[in-house]
Amino acid sequence: MEQLNDLSDPQLIRKSIEAVLRLANTFKEQNGRVPVLMEVCGSHTMAFAKSGIKKRLKEHVRLIAGPGCPVCVTDQKSIDAMIKLTEGPKRIICTFGDMMRVPGSNFSLMEAKTEGKDIRVVYSPLDSIKIAEENPDQEVIFLGIGFETTIPILALTVHEAQKKELKNYSIWMTTKLVEPVLRVLLSSEDVNIDGFLLPGHVSVVMGKKNYEFLVEGFQMPGVITGFETIELLSGIYKILQLLIDKKVSIINDYKYVVKDEGNPVAQNLIKKYFDFHDEAWRGMSVISKSGLGFKREYAQFDAKRKFKVNVGEPRKTKCRCGEIIRGLITPEECVLFNKSCTPLRPIGPCMVSTEGTCAAYYQYMREV
Amino acid sequence: MVRRITLAHGEGGDLTHQLIRDVFLASFGNREQTQLDAAILKSTSKTLAVSTDSYVVKPLFFPGGNIGKLAITGTINDLAVSGAIPKVITTGFILEEGFPLRDLNIIVESMAREARNAGVSIIAGDTKVVEKGSVDGLFINTTGIGVVNEKYQMTPEKICPGDSIIISGTLGDHGISIISAREELGLLTKVESDCASLNDLIHQLLEKVEGIRIMRDPTRGGLATTLVELCEDFHFNVELDELLIPIRKEVEGACDILGFDPLYIANEGKVVIVVDSLKQKMVLDILNANKLGEEAAVIGQVTSCQNQVGKLMIKTPIGTTRRLHRLSGLLLPRIC
């Protein structure tokens, strides 16, 4: 705890911000423009906004929120399908709270619940196992959204369901992986980034090795960083130093929790139950092998095989979440932001999720 | 076999009579007042304050309290922060068919104990039983009546730049204890709810300190929402200092995991006070001398007044300020 207490030391924070500003100025002198960094993770986006770092560095470092919020990157058609899933008979849908207010083309899970559908918010997928045990005559379906951080616990949940020989339990997998989406972003012409602040939580599972492709394939530096103000500043400092020194490498600045090889137990658990599937991303269409789904031998837990859901093309709105998660625009550039789209009446998922970029701007950076 | 509430307990017959006699009267007393359909209060020439609130918290039992204790402390605190001395409370129960009588007894006894300790009488009540599935165990309504002490009147019209903002202790303990106590969430902390009657402490402050402008109990919506409302209602701006706000590490950690902000988490035993800065030490001394206020701290100050729109700002550790708004769209389980 000693170390954690030091992380909030105001003097250290002030010195760190001065050091970051010095490097940012050096970068600007070298390149004639400010550095552009993308924080991949939604929790980083929130922490940058809440700590005031985003505001303090505004003129010196451009911090772009990336595709790291699991709710925000979920394709509109997938959301419609999950809402449609609630309509079947004898079904209990379990979900993380974030999903409840995400609007589909016509309504949200929250509205489906008020219509009488049995939809339950859980804090852990494991809780849905208990619900399945207590309701043997109902089909219990967990909405499996999330990145590498969440996927091991989904695997663990399947493991439990298998151990308990549950016949009425399945997961609707729409999980996403960080590597494929970063590859797509970096191959796209409209995204210009100098370096990445890499997600601490995902890295705990996948390890530093997971990001070697950035260096090998794209000559792109990155720093794995934590979530405290001082850790965020340290991450920015280190990546600016790499850029100034023109070095391309991945630095693990979160060594006390992230190992080079990640967490092999979690990785093996994932490999046991899941394999690569194509996934549709909001604003980016389908990315090949960018998600995980059930292996054929675990088909009895695969809600997508168990239940047929047909939805049409989603209703189009002026929502620009697709561009926001690619870092092309900021929330304030969307005409809906803080007008017709607010957390109470969200139009897109970025305004709903506790990791969403629009929600971060609304909650922490709105002055009116 | 566990004795449980049945629909017949709400029919007004023998079982209702037994329930009132064995559970409510046994704990709440005041037999003479409950012999009539209404409790009779002696006339008073003083100004009265009344406050009512309904409690639907889930789970019913949590570390540091239960729904019954909460129903009494909540109403007592609402009266106390308004400058009134709570005197009597009425209570209404909506019970779910099948609710265990043993649990009801525990809840009712803790209400009686809390009221007794706070010097408040529970003088009237009502019980309804509804079919299983219609409510979540039980809901409680309490209405409190207090006597306004003219000496205790606060002076929000005198709020001026430099006035201090004081919180009586750590933030978010109640909300996080509730969230942790929910069956679905076994991972969190040992944080206990701060649920407590603050009337004695508040009356000491009002008795001894001149210069208290206004006070509120930051329950639902937390400190941030409460202060935003004060700023808007009384047209002043406040700047809080994030580094000065007392929050337990366990609460901070739980909030990090769940994506909550402790400034928006409910408290049930805290008071936020706007006071003349010359009197802030006196307020802190009184608070710190009491167990319920031992972690009290000055957390900010009034920066300007007589604005059309009052704003709540917070200074971050890196020196920037940002505006705090009302709680907006966060998903929290029922906490009070």
Side-chain angles (χ1 to χ4, degrees), chain A residues 206-259:
Chain A
M206 302 309 288
K208 183 184 158 194
K209 280 184 187 165
N210 190 45
Y211 305 109
E212 277 165 7
F213 75 96
L214 289 174
V215 174
E216 288 157 12
F218 299 95
Q219 291 292 298
M220 181 62 63
V223 176
I224 299 167
T225 186
F227 300 85
E228 297 284 337
T229 304
I230 201 77
E231 293 172 322
L232 295 165
L233 289 169
S234 171
I236 297 174
Y237 180 88
K238 286 185 176 159
I239 200 151
L240 291 178
Q241 191 69 65
L242 285 176
L243 292 172
I244 289 163
D245 296 343
K246 305 202 185 315
K247 285 184 183 162
V248 180
S249 64
I250 303 297
I251 294 177
N252 179 5
D253 201 28
Y254 201 30
K255 273 190 183 135
Y256 35 98
V257 279
V258 174
K259 297 192 170 27

Side-chain angles (χ1 to χ4, degrees), chain B residues 298-317:
Chain B
V298 177
I299 55 172
Q301 58 177 1
V302 174
T303 52
S304 68
C305 59
Q306 292 169 347
N307 308 302
Q308 207 169 11
V309 183
K311 280 188 191 175
L312 177 64
M313 307 294 291
I314 187 165
K315 193 166 87 184
T316 68

Side-chain angles (χ1 to χ4, degrees), chain B residues 95-115:
Chain B
L95 299 164
E96 184 185 23
E97 178 189 16
F99 191 75
L101 269 165
R102 192 186 51 208
D103 288 354
L104 182 62
N105 264 312
I106 297 170
I107 289 165
V108 167
E109 277 168 21
S110 67
M111 290 174 79
R113 191 169 47 246
E114 193 59 36

Side-chain angles (χ1 to χ4, degrees), chain A residues 150-180:
Chain A
T150 316
I151 300 170
I153 190 113
L154 294 179
L156 192 65
T157 309
V158 183
H159 178 75
E160 281 297 303
Q162 199 185 8
K163 214 166 67 183
K164 292 177 186 292
E165 296 179 359
L166 292 179
K167 302 274 183 259
N168 63 332
Y169 185 79
S170 57
I171 301 180
W172 186 272
M173 289 285 282
T174 48
T175 55
K176 304 282 193 293
L177 300 171
V178 168
E179 181 183 332

Side-chain angles (χ1 to χ4, degrees), chain A residues 15-55:
Chain A
K15 280 184 184 167
S16 302
I17 202 110
E18 283 161 18
V20 166
L21 288 171
R22 271 198 302 276
L23 288 195
N25 285 339
T26 309
F27 180 95
K28 198 173 174 184
E29 282 164 21
Q30 274 184 2
N31 299 277
R33 61 173 178 83
V34 298
V36 182
L37 307 179
M38 176 176 272
E39 78 270 7
V40 178
C41 168
S43 301
H44 275 163
T45 302
M46 276 288 171
F48 275 131
K50 187 180 175 192
S51 63
I53 291 176
K54 213 151 191 154
K55 190 173 174 184

Side-chain angles (χ1 to χ4, degrees), chain A residues 309-340:
Chain A
V309 173
N310 292 315
V311 286
E313 280 309 302
R315 186 172 61 90
K316 282 201 167 66
T317 68
K318 286 183 179 165
C319 169
R320 298 179 73 183
C321 283
E323 291 158 275
I324 287 167
I325 60 171
R326 283 183 290 154
L328 300 180
I329 63 162
T330 63
E332 286 128 329
E333 291 174 72
C334 173
V335 289
L336 306 178
F337 179 76
N338 195 19
K339 294 187 181 81
S340 52

Side-chain angles (χ1 to χ4, degrees), chain A residues 4-138:
Chain A
L4 280 177
N5 286 337
D6 289 341
L7 291 180
S8 57
D9 176 41
Q11 273 195 327
L12 196 60
I13 289 173
R14 270 198 294 276
K15 280 184 184 167
S16 302
I17 202 110
E18 283 161 18
V20 166
L21 288 171
R22 271 198 302 276
L23 288 195
N25 285 339
T26 309
F27 180 95
K28 198 173 174 184
E29 282 164 21
Q30 274 184 2
N31 299 277
R33 61 173 178 83
V34 298
V36 182
L37 307 179
M38 176 176 272
E39 78 270 7
V40 178
C41 168
S43 301
H44 275 163
T45 302
M46 276 288 171
F48 275 131
K50 187 180 175 192
S51 63
I53 291 176
K54 213 151 191 154
K55 190 173 174 184
R56 181 70 184 88
L57 297 183
K58 202 173 173 188
E59 309 296 325
H60 309 275
V61 179
R62 204 171 145 220
L63 287 166
I64 300 178
C69 158
V71 176
C72 308
V73 296
T74 306
D75 182 56
Q76 177 73 28
K77 202 167 176 175
S78 299
I79 289 168
D80 283 345
M82 287 187 261
I83 294 169
K84 183 93 175 165
L85 188 64
T86 65
E87 290 173 8
K90 291 193 166 188
R91 285 181 194 177
I92 300 173
I93 307 294
C94 297
T95 175
F96 292 126
D98 271 9
M99 282 301 294
M100 289 299 284
R101 283 181 300 111
V102 177
S105 290
N106 300 309
F107 50 90
S108 65
L109 286 172
M110 184 78 92
E111 284 157 322
K113 187 173 165 68
T114 58
E115 295 286 311
K117 306 295 178 206
D118 196 344
I119 303 169
R120 304 186 191 183
V121 172
V122 296
Y123 285 93
S124 161
L126 286 166
D127 298 332
S128 57
I129 292 281
K130 200 174 154 209
I131 295 172
E133 285 182 294
E134 287 167 357
N135 297 277
D137 57 337
Q138 305 265 320

Side-chain angles (χ1 to χ4, degrees), chain B residues 9 23 59 94 99 109 127 166 202 207 227 259 266 305 307 325 327:
Chain B
H9 278 109
V23 178
I94 297 175
F99 191 75
E109 277 168 21
T127 310
I166 294 177
I202 287 169
E207 190 76 47
L227 273 175
C305 59
N307 308 302
H325 305 269
L327 177 71

